[in-house]
Amino acid sequence: MSEVKIFAGSSSEKLAEKIAKSYGKKLGDLTLSKFSDGEMSPSFDESIRGCTVFIIQSTNAPSDNILELCLLIDAAKRASAYKVCAVIPYFGYARQDRKDRPRVSIAAKLIANMITSAGADRIMTCDLHAGQIQGFFDIPLDHLNGSAIFAPYLSTLRLKDMIFAAPDVGGVARARSYAKHFEVEMVVCDKHRKRANEIASMQVIGDVEGKDVILVDDLVDTAGTLCKAAQIIKEKGATSVRAIVTHGVLSGNAFENIENSVLEELVITDTIALRQPSPKIRVLTVAELFGKAIHAVTGHTSISSLFI
Protein backbone atom coordinates (compact mmCIF):
# COMPACT_ATOMS: atom_id res chain seq x y z
CA MET A 1 0.00 0.00 0.00
CA SER A 2 1.35 3.43 -0.95
CA GLU A 3 2.00 6.04 1.75
CA VAL A 4 -0.84 8.49 2.35
CA LYS A 5 -0.09 12.22 2.48
CA ILE A 6 -2.64 14.97 3.13
CA PHE A 7 -2.22 18.59 2.03
CA ALA A 8 -4.30 21.74 2.50
CA GLY A 9 -5.23 24.35 -0.06
CA SER A 10 -5.34 27.93 1.20
CA SER A 11 -9.15 28.04 1.57
CA SER A 12 -9.37 24.99 3.85
CA GLU A 13 -6.31 25.04 6.09
CA LYS A 14 -8.13 24.79 9.44
CA LEU A 15 -10.51 22.07 8.24
CA ALA A 16 -7.64 20.16 6.63
CA GLU A 17 -5.75 20.16 9.94
CA LYS A 18 -8.78 18.62 11.66
CA ILE A 19 -9.25 16.03 8.89
CA ALA A 20 -5.57 15.06 9.00
CA LYS A 21 -5.74 14.73 12.80
CA SER A 22 -8.88 12.59 12.51
CA TYR A 23 -7.11 10.37 9.99
CA GLY A 24 -4.00 10.17 12.18
CA LYS A 25 -1.54 12.14 10.06
CA LYS A 26 0.06 15.56 10.09
CA LEU A 27 -0.54 17.86 7.16
CA GLY A 28 2.16 17.80 4.51
CA ASP A 29 4.19 20.92 3.71
CA LEU A 30 3.56 22.99 0.62
CA THR A 31 4.20 26.55 -0.47
CA LEU A 32 1.89 28.76 -2.50
CA SER A 33 3.99 31.52 -4.03
CA LYS A 34 2.48 34.42 -5.94
CA PHE A 35 3.92 36.82 -8.48
CA SER A 36 3.13 40.51 -8.04
CA ASP A 37 0.29 40.27 -10.55
CA GLY A 38 -1.39 37.50 -8.54
CA GLU A 39 -0.21 34.54 -10.64
CA MET A 40 0.02 31.46 -8.40
CA SER A 41 2.90 29.00 -8.26
CA PRO A 42 2.27 26.17 -5.76
CA SER A 43 4.95 23.62 -4.83
CA PHE A 44 5.18 20.61 -2.51
CA ASP A 45 7.98 20.93 0.06
CA GLU A 46 8.45 17.18 0.54
CA SER A 47 8.68 14.11 -1.64
CA ILE A 48 5.36 12.63 -2.74
CA ARG A 49 6.77 10.15 -5.25
CA GLY A 50 4.67 7.00 -5.20
CA CYS A 51 2.31 8.40 -2.54
CA THR A 52 -1.47 8.59 -2.46
CA VAL A 53 -2.03 12.33 -2.12
CA PHE A 54 -5.18 13.97 -0.75
CA ILE A 55 -5.52 17.69 -1.49
CA ILE A 56 -8.20 19.40 0.62
CA GLN A 57 -9.64 22.55 -0.90
CA SER A 58 -13.13 24.03 -0.84
CA THR A 59 -13.73 26.14 -3.91
CA ASN A 60 -14.97 29.38 -2.43
CA ALA A 61 -14.53 32.14 -3.42
CA PRO A 62 -14.53 29.97 -6.48
CA SER A 63 -12.23 31.50 -9.10
CA ASP A 64 -8.84 31.55 -7.34
CA ASN A 65 -9.45 28.43 -5.28
CA ILE A 66 -10.48 26.28 -8.24
CA LEU A 67 -7.36 27.35 -10.14
CA GLU A 68 -5.19 26.75 -7.06
CA LEU A 69 -6.67 23.25 -6.69
CA CYS A 70 -5.96 22.44 -10.35
CA LEU A 71 -2.38 23.70 -10.04
CA LEU A 72 -1.83 21.59 -6.91
CA ILE A 73 -3.21 18.49 -8.66
CA ASP A 74 -0.96 19.12 -11.66
CA ALA A 75 2.08 19.66 -9.43
CA ALA A 76 1.36 16.39 -7.58
CA LYS A 77 1.06 14.40 -10.81
CA ARG A 78 4.28 15.90 -12.17
CA ALA A 79 5.99 15.00 -8.86
CA SER A 80 5.12 11.32 -9.55
CA ALA A 81 2.36 10.89 -6.97
CA TYR A 82 0.78 7.44 -7.29
CA LYS A 83 -2.80 8.72 -6.97
CA VAL A 84 -4.23 12.20 -6.41
CA CYS A 85 -7.60 12.65 -4.68
CA ALA A 86 -9.18 16.10 -4.68
CA VAL A 87 -11.11 16.50 -1.44
CA ILE A 88 -13.58 19.32 -2.12
CA PRO A 89 -15.80 19.79 0.96
CA TYR A 90 -17.70 22.56 -0.83
CA PHE A 91 -17.91 22.26 -4.62
CA GLY A 92 -18.36 25.74 -6.12
CA TYR A 93 -20.39 26.44 -9.28
CA ALA A 94 -22.67 23.50 -8.43
CA ARG A 95 -25.72 25.76 -8.79
CA GLN A 96 -25.01 25.99 -12.53
CA ASP A 97 -25.66 22.35 -13.39
CA ARG A 98 -27.90 22.80 -16.46
CA LYS A 99 -29.05 25.30 -19.08
CA ASP A 100 -32.08 26.84 -17.37
CA ARG A 101 -32.20 29.72 -19.88
CA PRO A 102 -30.69 30.38 -23.31
CA ARG A 103 -26.99 31.11 -23.90
CA VAL A 104 -25.56 30.22 -20.49
CA SER A 105 -22.72 27.95 -19.43
CA ILE A 106 -23.13 24.63 -17.62
CA ALA A 107 -20.39 25.74 -15.25
CA ALA A 108 -20.48 22.66 -13.00
CA LYS A 109 -19.57 20.44 -15.96
CA LEU A 110 -16.78 22.80 -17.02
CA ILE A 111 -15.27 22.74 -13.51
CA ALA A 112 -15.52 18.93 -13.45
CA ASN A 113 -13.63 18.81 -16.76
CA MET A 114 -10.95 21.17 -15.45
CA ILE A 115 -10.32 19.15 -12.28
CA THR A 116 -10.24 15.88 -14.23
CA SER A 117 -7.94 17.31 -16.91
CA ALA A 118 -5.58 18.60 -14.20
CA GLY A 119 -4.99 14.94 -13.28
CA ALA A 120 -7.26 14.08 -10.34
CA ASP A 121 -7.80 10.32 -9.95
CA ARG A 122 -10.65 10.64 -7.46
CA ILE A 123 -13.02 13.26 -6.03
CA MET A 124 -14.40 13.42 -2.51
CA THR A 125 -17.07 15.98 -1.69
CA CYS A 126 -20.13 16.61 0.48
CA ASP A 127 -23.75 17.51 -0.30
CA LEU A 128 -23.53 18.65 -3.91
CA HIS A 129 -26.19 21.20 -4.80
CA ALA A 130 -27.41 18.81 -7.50
CA GLY A 131 -26.78 15.07 -7.18
CA GLN A 132 -26.45 14.61 -10.96
CA ILE A 133 -23.13 16.48 -10.86
CA GLN A 134 -21.62 13.13 -9.80
CA GLY A 135 -22.20 12.06 -13.40
CA PHE A 136 -20.16 14.99 -14.72
CA PHE A 137 -17.00 13.16 -13.62
CA ASP A 138 -15.55 10.12 -15.40
CA ILE A 139 -13.47 9.24 -12.33
CA PRO A 140 -14.63 7.82 -8.96
CA LEU A 141 -16.49 10.31 -6.78
CA ASP A 142 -17.34 9.83 -3.11
CA HIS A 143 -20.41 11.92 -2.28
CA LEU A 144 -20.66 12.26 1.50
CA ASN A 145 -23.85 13.32 3.23
CA GLY A 146 -24.15 16.05 5.85
CA SER A 147 -26.99 14.14 7.51
CA ALA A 148 -24.34 12.09 9.32
CA ILE A 149 -23.39 15.34 11.10
CA PHE A 150 -26.81 16.92 11.58
CA ALA A 151 -28.94 13.93 12.61
CA PRO A 152 -27.05 13.26 15.89
CA TYR A 153 -27.22 16.98 16.74
CA LEU A 154 -30.97 17.17 16.09
CA SER A 155 -31.48 14.14 18.35
CA THR A 156 -29.92 16.06 21.25
CA LEU A 157 -32.50 18.88 20.90
CA ARG A 158 -35.36 16.53 21.88
CA LEU A 159 -37.97 18.64 20.10
CA LYS A 160 -41.51 17.46 20.87
CA ASP A 161 -43.28 18.21 17.58
CA MET A 162 -40.45 18.20 15.03
CA ILE A 163 -41.24 18.55 11.35
CA PHE A 164 -38.91 19.14 8.38
CA ALA A 165 -39.31 21.74 5.66
CA ALA A 166 -37.76 22.15 2.22
CA PRO A 167 -37.13 25.88 1.49
CA ASP A 168 -37.84 25.21 -2.20
CA VAL A 169 -39.09 22.41 -4.43
CA GLY A 170 -35.52 21.40 -5.33
CA GLY A 171 -34.82 20.49 -1.70
CA VAL A 172 -37.75 18.10 -1.26
CA ALA A 173 -35.68 14.90 -1.53
CA ARG A 174 -33.20 16.20 1.07
CA ALA A 175 -35.94 17.15 3.55
CA ARG A 176 -37.79 13.89 2.93
CA SER A 177 -34.71 11.82 3.86
CA TYR A 178 -34.58 13.54 7.27
CA ALA A 179 -38.34 13.16 7.76
CA LYS A 180 -38.07 9.45 6.96
CA HIS A 181 -35.13 8.98 9.35
CA PHE A 182 -36.93 10.68 12.25
CA GLU A 183 -40.35 9.26 11.22
CA VAL A 184 -42.04 12.67 11.09
CA GLU A 185 -43.85 14.76 8.46
CA MET A 186 -42.48 17.38 6.08
CA VAL A 187 -43.69 20.53 4.30
CA VAL A 188 -42.50 22.46 1.26
CA CYS A 189 -41.94 26.16 0.65
CA ASP A 190 -42.73 26.91 -2.99
CA LYS A 191 -40.84 29.98 -4.22
CA HIS A 192 -40.65 31.97 -7.44
CA ARG A 193 -37.56 34.03 -8.25
CA LYS A 194 -37.31 37.21 -10.32
CA ARG A 195 -33.54 36.72 -10.64
CA ALA A 196 -30.63 35.16 -8.71
CA ASN A 197 -30.74 35.96 -4.97
CA GLU A 198 -34.10 37.75 -5.29
CA ILE A 199 -37.42 36.07 -4.42
CA ALA A 200 -40.69 37.29 -5.97
CA SER A 201 -43.12 35.14 -3.96
CA MET A 202 -43.27 32.15 -1.59
CA GLN A 203 -45.96 29.97 -0.01
CA VAL A 204 -45.96 27.01 2.40
CA ILE A 205 -47.47 23.71 1.29
CA GLY A 206 -48.43 21.74 4.40
CA ASP A 207 -49.46 22.32 8.03
CA VAL A 208 -46.87 23.74 10.46
CA GLU A 209 -49.13 25.01 13.25
CA GLY A 210 -47.72 24.14 16.68
CA LYS A 211 -44.67 22.44 15.16
CA ASP A 212 -40.93 22.80 15.72
CA VAL A 213 -39.83 23.25 12.12
CA ILE A 214 -36.37 22.33 10.78
CA LEU A 215 -35.54 23.88 7.41
CA VAL A 216 -33.09 21.73 5.44
CA ASP A 217 -30.84 22.95 2.63
CA ASP A 218 -27.42 22.26 1.12
CA LEU A 219 -26.12 25.84 1.11
CA VAL A 220 -27.01 29.28 2.40
CA ASP A 221 -25.75 32.26 0.40
CA THR A 222 -27.40 35.61 1.16
CA ALA A 223 -29.92 33.78 3.41
CA GLY A 224 -32.81 35.57 1.69
CA THR A 225 -34.72 32.37 0.87
CA LEU A 226 -34.05 30.83 4.28
CA CYS A 227 -35.13 33.87 6.28
CA LYS A 228 -38.25 34.45 4.16
CA ALA A 229 -39.23 30.79 4.50
CA ALA A 230 -38.71 30.98 8.27
CA GLN A 231 -40.86 34.13 8.47
CA ILE A 232 -43.75 32.60 6.51
CA ILE A 233 -43.57 29.35 8.50
CA LYS A 234 -43.67 31.30 11.76
CA GLU A 235 -46.66 33.31 10.51
CA LYS A 236 -48.42 30.00 9.78
CA GLY A 237 -48.27 29.15 13.49
CA ALA A 238 -45.01 27.23 13.96
CA THR A 239 -43.70 27.10 17.54
CA SER A 240 -40.07 27.46 16.44
CA VAL A 241 -38.01 27.50 13.23
CA ARG A 242 -34.43 26.29 12.88
CA ALA A 243 -32.29 25.60 9.82
CA ILE A 244 -29.62 23.01 9.09
CA VAL A 245 -27.47 23.84 6.07
CA THR A 246 -24.26 22.09 5.06
CA HIS A 247 -22.39 24.91 3.33
CA GLY A 248 -22.35 28.39 4.87
CA VAL A 249 -21.43 30.56 1.89
CA LEU A 250 -22.92 33.58 3.72
CA SER A 251 -22.24 36.39 1.28
CA GLY A 252 -23.69 39.88 0.99
CA ASN A 253 -26.04 40.77 3.87
CA ALA A 254 -26.32 37.17 5.07
CA PHE A 255 -25.25 37.78 8.66
CA GLU A 256 -27.57 40.76 9.03
CA ASN A 257 -30.45 38.82 7.48
CA ILE A 258 -29.96 35.86 9.82
CA GLU A 259 -29.60 37.91 12.98
CA ASN A 260 -32.76 39.90 12.16
CA SER A 261 -34.76 36.78 11.24
CA VAL A 262 -37.15 34.62 13.30
CA LEU A 263 -34.73 31.69 13.10
CA GLU A 264 -33.89 30.18 16.49
CA GLU A 265 -30.54 29.10 15.07
CA LEU A 266 -28.76 28.29 11.85
CA VAL A 267 -26.60 25.16 12.07
CA ILE A 268 -23.89 24.85 9.41
CA THR A 269 -20.67 22.87 8.96
CA ASP A 270 -17.09 23.99 8.50
CA THR A 271 -16.83 23.00 4.82
CA ILE A 272 -16.44 26.77 4.42
CA ALA A 273 -14.65 28.77 7.11
CA LEU A 274 -17.04 31.10 8.97
CA ARG A 275 -16.09 34.72 8.22
CA GLN A 276 -17.40 36.14 11.48
CA PRO A 277 -19.15 34.85 14.61
CA SER A 278 -22.90 35.24 15.05
CA PRO A 279 -25.08 34.47 18.09
CA LYS A 280 -27.53 32.60 15.84
CA ILE A 281 -25.00 30.47 13.95
CA ARG A 282 -23.67 27.14 15.25
CA VAL A 283 -20.86 25.36 13.39
CA LEU A 284 -20.43 21.56 13.38
CA THR A 285 -17.31 19.97 11.93
CA VAL A 286 -17.15 17.49 9.05
CA ALA A 287 -13.54 16.56 9.88
CA GLU A 288 -14.32 13.14 11.34
CA LEU A 289 -16.65 12.34 8.43
CA PHE A 290 -13.93 13.06 5.88
CA GLY A 291 -11.27 11.37 8.03
CA LYS A 292 -13.32 8.15 8.07
CA ALA A 293 -13.94 8.43 4.33
CA ILE A 294 -10.21 8.76 3.62
CA HIS A 295 -9.58 5.69 5.81
CA ALA A 296 -12.19 3.77 3.81
CA VAL A 297 -10.74 4.83 0.46
CA THR A 298 -7.16 4.01 1.39
CA GLY A 299 -8.22 0.75 3.05
CA HIS A 300 -10.48 -0.23 0.14
CA THR A 301 -13.55 -0.60 2.38
CA SER A 302 -17.12 0.60 2.03
CA ILE A 303 -18.24 4.11 3.02
CA SER A 304 -21.91 3.11 3.34
CA SER A 305 -21.64 3.17 7.14
CA LEU A 306 -21.11 6.96 6.92
CA PHE A 307 -24.70 7.52 5.80
CA ILE A 308 -27.82 7.63 8.00
PDB file of all heavy atoms in Angstrom, residues 35-57:
ATOM      1  N   PHE A  35       3.249  35.699  -7.841  1.00  0.00           N
ATOM      2  CA  PHE A  35       3.917  36.816  -8.483  1.00  0.00           C
ATOM      3  C   PHE A  35       3.159  38.092  -8.138  1.00  0.00           C
ATOM      4  O   PHE A  35       2.039  38.050  -7.624  1.00  0.00           O
ATOM      5  CB  PHE A  35       3.953  36.603 -10.002  1.00  0.00           C
ATOM      6  CG  PHE A  35       4.827  35.450 -10.427  1.00  0.00           C
ATOM      7  CD1 PHE A  35       4.271  34.198 -10.649  1.00  0.00           C
ATOM      8  CD2 PHE A  35       6.192  35.611 -10.606  1.00  0.00           C
ATOM      9  CE1 PHE A  35       5.064  33.123 -11.034  1.00  0.00           C
ATOM     10  CE2 PHE A  35       6.991  34.552 -10.988  1.00  0.00           C
ATOM     11  CZ  PHE A  35       6.436  33.306 -11.201  1.00  0.00           C
ATOM     12  N   SER A  36       3.747  39.238  -8.425  1.00  0.00           N
ATOM     13  CA  SER A  36       3.135  40.509  -8.038  1.00  0.00           C
ATOM     14  C   SER A  36       1.796  40.751  -8.723  1.00  0.00           C
ATOM     15  O   SER A  36       0.965  41.512  -8.217  1.00  0.00           O
ATOM     16  CB  SER A  36       4.084  41.671  -8.352  1.00  0.00           C
ATOM     17  OG  SER A  36       4.363  41.722  -9.743  1.00  0.00           O
ATOM     18  N   ASP A  37       1.563  40.095  -9.855  1.00  0.00           N
ATOM     19  CA  ASP A  37       0.288  40.273 -10.547  1.00  0.00           C
ATOM     20  C   ASP A  37      -0.778  39.289 -10.076  1.00  0.00           C
ATOM     21  O   ASP A  37      -1.892  39.252 -10.600  1.00  0.00           O
ATOM     22  CB  ASP A  37       0.465  40.153 -12.061  1.00  0.00           C
ATOM     23  CG  ASP A  37       0.903  38.762 -12.506  1.00  0.00           C
ATOM     24  OD1 ASP A  37       1.268  37.945 -11.628  1.00  0.00           O
ATOM     25  OD2 ASP A  37       0.890  38.496 -13.719  1.00  0.00           O
ATOM     26  N   GLY A  38      -0.436  38.445  -9.076  1.00  0.00           N
ATOM     27  CA  GLY A  38      -1.389  37.499  -8.541  1.00  0.00           C
ATOM     28  C   GLY A  38      -1.268  36.094  -9.090  1.00  0.00           C
ATOM     29  O   GLY A  38      -1.963  35.188  -8.641  1.00  0.00           O
ATOM     30  N   GLU A  39      -0.397  35.880 -10.065  1.00  0.00           N
ATOM     31  CA  GLU A  39      -0.213  34.541 -10.642  1.00  0.00           C
ATOM     32  C   GLU A  39       0.311  33.586  -9.579  1.00  0.00           C
ATOM     33  O   GLU A  39       1.281  33.877  -8.884  1.00  0.00           O
ATOM     34  CB  GLU A  39       0.771  34.625 -11.811  1.00  0.00           C
ATOM     35  CG  GLU A  39       0.976  33.316 -12.548  1.00  0.00           C
ATOM     36  CD  GLU A  39       1.905  33.484 -13.739  1.00  0.00           C
ATOM     37  OE1 GLU A  39       1.772  34.490 -14.466  1.00  0.00           O
ATOM     38  OE2 GLU A  39       2.778  32.596 -13.929  1.00  0.00           O
ATOM     39  N   MET A  40      -0.328  32.418  -9.449  1.00  0.00           N
ATOM     40  CA  MET A  40       0.015  31.459  -8.399  1.00  0.00           C
ATOM     41  C   MET A  40       1.033  30.437  -8.872  1.00  0.00           C
ATOM     42  O   MET A  40       1.023  30.031 -10.042  1.00  0.00           O
ATOM     43  CB  MET A  40      -1.247  30.731  -7.924  1.00  0.00           C
ATOM     44  CG  MET A  40      -2.205  31.603  -7.162  1.00  0.00           C
ATOM     45  SD  MET A  40      -3.723  30.718  -6.681  1.00  0.00           S
ATOM     46  CE  MET A  40      -4.577  30.664  -8.250  1.00  0.00           C
ATOM     47  N   SER A  41       1.898  30.019  -7.951  1.00  0.00           N
ATOM     48  CA  SER A  41       2.904  29.004  -8.259  1.00  0.00           C
ATOM     49  C   SER A  41       3.069  28.084  -7.041  1.00  0.00           C
ATOM     50  O   SER A  41       3.950  28.275  -6.204  1.00  0.00           O
ATOM     51  CB  SER A  41       4.249  29.665  -8.598  1.00  0.00           C
ATOM     52  OG  SER A  41       5.241  28.680  -8.833  1.00  0.00           O
ATOM     53  N   PRO A  42       2.196  27.068  -6.917  1.00  0.00           N
ATOM     54  CA  PRO A  42       2.274  26.173  -5.761  1.00  0.00           C
ATOM     55  C   PRO A  42       3.370  25.120  -5.921  1.00  0.00           C
ATOM     56  O   PRO A  42       3.706  24.716  -7.043  1.00  0.00           O
ATOM     57  CB  PRO A  42       0.893  25.511  -5.745  1.00  0.00           C
ATOM     58  CG  PRO A  42       0.475  25.497  -7.182  1.00  0.00           C
ATOM     59  CD  PRO A  42       1.069  26.730  -7.808  1.00  0.00           C
ATOM     60  N   SER A  43       3.937  24.678  -4.793  1.00  0.00           N
ATOM     61  CA  SER A  43       4.951  23.617  -4.831  1.00  0.00           C
ATOM     62  C   SER A  43       4.871  22.792  -3.553  1.00  0.00           C
ATOM     63  O   SER A  43       4.567  23.323  -2.471  1.00  0.00           O
ATOM     64  CB  SER A  43       6.358  24.210  -4.977  1.00  0.00           C
ATOM     65  OG  SER A  43       6.678  25.028  -3.867  1.00  0.00           O
ATOM     66  N   PHE A  44       5.143  21.504  -3.666  1.00  0.00           N
ATOM     67  CA  PHE A  44       5.182  20.610  -2.515  1.00  0.00           C
ATOM     68  C   PHE A  44       6.585  20.645  -1.929  1.00  0.00           C
ATOM     69  O   PHE A  44       7.576  20.553  -2.667  1.00  0.00           O
ATOM     70  CB  PHE A  44       4.789  19.193  -2.926  1.00  0.00           C
ATOM     71  CG  PHE A  44       3.347  19.058  -3.331  1.00  0.00           C
ATOM     72  CD1 PHE A  44       2.969  19.226  -4.662  1.00  0.00           C
ATOM     73  CD2 PHE A  44       2.367  18.800  -2.394  1.00  0.00           C
ATOM     74  CE1 PHE A  44       1.641  19.126  -5.041  1.00  0.00           C
ATOM     75  CE2 PHE A  44       1.032  18.699  -2.763  1.00  0.00           C
ATOM     76  CZ  PHE A  44       0.669  18.866  -4.090  1.00  0.00           C
ATOM     77  N   ASP A  45       6.689  20.776  -0.600  1.00  0.00           N
ATOM     78  CA  ASP A  45       7.980  20.930   0.059  1.00  0.00           C
ATOM     79  C   ASP A  45       8.519  19.611   0.610  1.00  0.00           C
ATOM     80  O   ASP A  45       9.402  19.608   1.468  1.00  0.00           O
ATOM     81  CB  ASP A  45       7.865  21.957   1.195  1.00  0.00           C
ATOM     82  CG  ASP A  45       7.504  23.341   0.673  1.00  0.00           C
ATOM     83  OD1 ASP A  45       7.777  23.617  -0.510  1.00  0.00           O
ATOM     84  OD2 ASP A  45       6.934  24.136   1.446  1.00  0.00           O
ATOM     85  N   GLU A  46       7.972  18.492   0.149  1.00  0.00           N
ATOM     86  CA  GLU A  46       8.454  17.179   0.539  1.00  0.00           C
ATOM     87  C   GLU A  46       8.171  16.204  -0.591  1.00  0.00           C
ATOM     88  O   GLU A  46       7.324  16.468  -1.449  1.00  0.00           O
ATOM     89  CB  GLU A  46       7.767  16.715   1.830  1.00  0.00           C
ATOM     90  CG  GLU A  46       6.252  16.652   1.734  1.00  0.00           C
ATOM     91  CD  GLU A  46       5.602  16.387   3.090  1.00  0.00           C
ATOM     92  OE1 GLU A  46       5.433  17.352   3.877  1.00  0.00           O
ATOM     93  OE2 GLU A  46       5.283  15.217   3.353  1.00  0.00           O
ATOM     94  N   SER A  47       8.869  15.098  -0.574  1.00  0.00           N
ATOM     95  CA  SER A  47       8.682  14.112  -1.642  1.00  0.00           C
ATOM     96  C   SER A  47       7.312  13.459  -1.536  1.00  0.00           C
ATOM     97  O   SER A  47       6.863  13.073  -0.456  1.00  0.00           O
ATOM     98  CB  SER A  47       9.767  13.031  -1.555  1.00  0.00           C
ATOM     99  OG  SER A  47       9.515  12.017  -2.519  1.00  0.00           O
ATOM    100  N   ILE A  48       6.641  13.342  -2.678  1.00  0.00           N
ATOM    101  CA  ILE A  48       5.356  12.633  -2.741  1.00  0.00           C
ATOM    102  C   ILE A  48       5.414  11.529  -3.797  1.00  0.00           C
ATOM    103  O   ILE A  48       4.382  10.992  -4.198  1.00  0.00           O
ATOM    104  CB  ILE A  48       4.190  13.604  -3.034  1.00  0.00           C
ATOM    105  CG1 ILE A  48       4.461  14.408  -4.307  1.00  0.00           C
ATOM    106  CG2 ILE A  48       3.951  14.532  -1.849  1.00  0.00           C
ATOM    107  CD1 ILE A  48       3.279  15.284  -4.718  1.00  0.00           C
ATOM    108  N   ARG A  49       6.607  11.191  -4.234  1.00  0.00           N
ATOM    109  CA  ARG A  49       6.773  10.155  -5.251  1.00  0.00           C
ATOM    110  C   ARG A  49       6.179   8.829  -4.755  1.00  0.00           C
ATOM    111  O   ARG A  49       6.523   8.347  -3.676  1.00  0.00           O
ATOM    112  CB  ARG A  49       8.258   9.968  -5.570  1.00  0.00           C
ATOM    113  CG  ARG A  49       8.535   8.970  -6.708  1.00  0.00           C
ATOM    114  CD  ARG A  49      10.026   8.880  -6.990  1.00  0.00           C
ATOM    115  NE  ARG A  49      10.541  10.160  -7.463  1.00  0.00           N
ATOM    116  CZ  ARG A  49      10.535  10.549  -8.742  1.00  0.00           C
ATOM    117  NH1 ARG A  49      10.018   9.749  -9.672  1.00  0.00           N
ATOM    118  NH2 ARG A  49      11.030  11.717  -9.092  1.00  0.00           N
ATOM    119  N   GLY A  50       5.284   8.276  -5.536  1.00  0.00           N
ATOM    120  CA  GLY A  50       4.672   6.998  -5.197  1.00  0.00           C
ATOM    121  C   GLY A  50       3.620   7.060  -4.110  1.00  0.00           C
ATOM    122  O   GLY A  50       3.105   6.024  -3.684  1.00  0.00           O
ATOM    123  N   CYS A  51       3.270   8.253  -3.643  1.00  0.00           N
ATOM    124  CA  CYS A  51       2.313   8.403  -2.537  1.00  0.00           C
ATOM    125  C   CYS A  51       0.886   8.591  -3.052  1.00  0.00           C
ATOM    126  O   CYS A  51       0.669   9.066  -4.168  1.00  0.00           O
ATOM    127  CB  CYS A  51       2.690   9.602  -1.667  1.00  0.00           C
ATOM    128  SG  CYS A  51       4.273   9.451  -0.821  1.00  0.00           S
ATOM    129  N   THR A  52      -0.073   8.242  -2.210  1.00  0.00           N
ATOM    130  CA  THR A  52      -1.468   8.587  -2.463  1.00  0.00           C
ATOM    131  C   THR A  52      -1.713   9.935  -1.788  1.00  0.00           C
ATOM    132  O   THR A  52      -1.634  10.052  -0.564  1.00  0.00           O
ATOM    133  CB  THR A  52      -2.418   7.527  -1.885  1.00  0.00           C
ATOM    134  OG1 THR A  52      -2.168   6.274  -2.528  1.00  0.00           O
ATOM    135  CG2 THR A  52      -3.864   7.919  -2.117  1.00  0.00           C
ATOM    136  N   VAL A  53      -1.975  10.946  -2.597  1.00  0.00           N
ATOM    137  CA  VAL A  53      -2.034  12.326  -2.116  1.00  0.00           C
ATOM    138  C   VAL A  53      -3.482  12.809  -2.061  1.00  0.00           C
ATOM    139  O   VAL A  53      -4.226  12.696  -3.039  1.00  0.00           O
ATOM    140  CB  VAL A  53      -1.203  13.253  -3.035  1.00  0.00           C
ATOM    141  CG1 VAL A  53      -1.393  14.715  -2.641  1.00  0.00           C
ATOM    142  CG2 VAL A  53       0.267  12.870  -2.969  1.00  0.00           C
ATOM    143  N   PHE A  54      -3.863  13.360  -0.911  1.00  0.00           N
ATOM    144  CA  PHE A  54      -5.184  13.969  -0.745  1.00  0.00           C
ATOM    145  C   PHE A  54      -4.989  15.475  -0.615  1.00  0.00           C
ATOM    146  O   PHE A  54      -4.274  15.937   0.281  1.00  0.00           O
ATOM    147  CB  PHE A  54      -5.887  13.414   0.492  1.00  0.00           C
ATOM    148  CG  PHE A  54      -6.345  11.987   0.342  1.00  0.00           C
ATOM    149  CD1 PHE A  54      -5.474  10.939   0.564  1.00  0.00           C
ATOM    150  CD2 PHE A  54      -7.649  11.697  -0.045  1.00  0.00           C
ATOM    151  CE1 PHE A  54      -5.883   9.622   0.415  1.00  0.00           C
ATOM    152  CE2 PHE A  54      -8.074  10.380  -0.190  1.00  0.00           C
ATOM    153  CZ  PHE A  54      -7.189   9.343   0.034  1.00  0.00           C
ATOM    154  N   ILE A  55      -5.602  16.230  -1.507  1.00  0.00           N
ATOM    155  CA  ILE A  55      -5.516  17.689  -1.486  1.00  0.00           C
ATOM    156  C   ILE A  55      -6.879  18.232  -1.081  1.00  0.00           C
ATOM    157  O   ILE A  55      -7.874  18.029  -1.777  1.00  0.00           O
ATOM    158  CB  ILE A  55      -5.109  18.256  -2.857  1.00  0.00           C
ATOM    159  CG1 ILE A  55      -3.750  17.688  -3.273  1.00  0.00           C
ATOM    160  CG2 ILE A  55      -5.057  19.779  -2.814  1.00  0.00           C
ATOM    161  CD1 ILE A  55      -3.363  17.996  -4.708  1.00  0.00           C
ATOM    162  N   ILE A  56      -6.927  18.916   0.067  1.00  0.00           N
ATOM    163  CA  ILE A  56      -8.199  19.396   0.622  1.00  0.00           C
ATOM    164  C   ILE A  56      -8.364  20.877   0.288  1.00  0.00           C
ATOM    165  O   ILE A  56      -7.553  21.709   0.693  1.00  0.00           O
ATOM    166  CB  ILE A  56      -8.245  19.176   2.143  1.00  0.00           C
ATOM    167  CG1 ILE A  56      -8.075  17.682   2.464  1.00  0.00           C
ATOM    168  CG2 ILE A  56      -9.550  19.709   2.726  1.00  0.00           C
ATOM    169  CD1 ILE A  56      -7.859  17.377   3.924  1.00  0.00           C
ATOM    170  N   GLN A  57      -9.415  21.173  -0.469  1.00  0.00           N
ATOM    171  CA  GLN A  57      -9.638  22.552  -0.904  1.00  0.00           C
ATOM    172  C   GLN A  57     -11.103  22.771  -1.257  1.00  0.00           C
ATOM    173  O   GLN A  57     -11.606  22.232  -2.230  1.00  0.00           O
ATOM    174  CB  GLN A  57      -8.762  22.853  -2.136  1.00  0.00           C
ATOM    175  CG  GLN A  57      -9.011  24.191  -2.800  1.00  0.00           C
ATOM    176  CD  GLN A  57      -8.249  25.344  -2.160  1.00  0.00           C
ATOM    177  OE1 GLN A  57      -8.170  25.447  -0.930  1.00  0.00           O
ATOM    178  NE2 GLN A  57      -7.673  26.198  -2.971  1.00  0.00           N
TER     179      GLN A  57
END
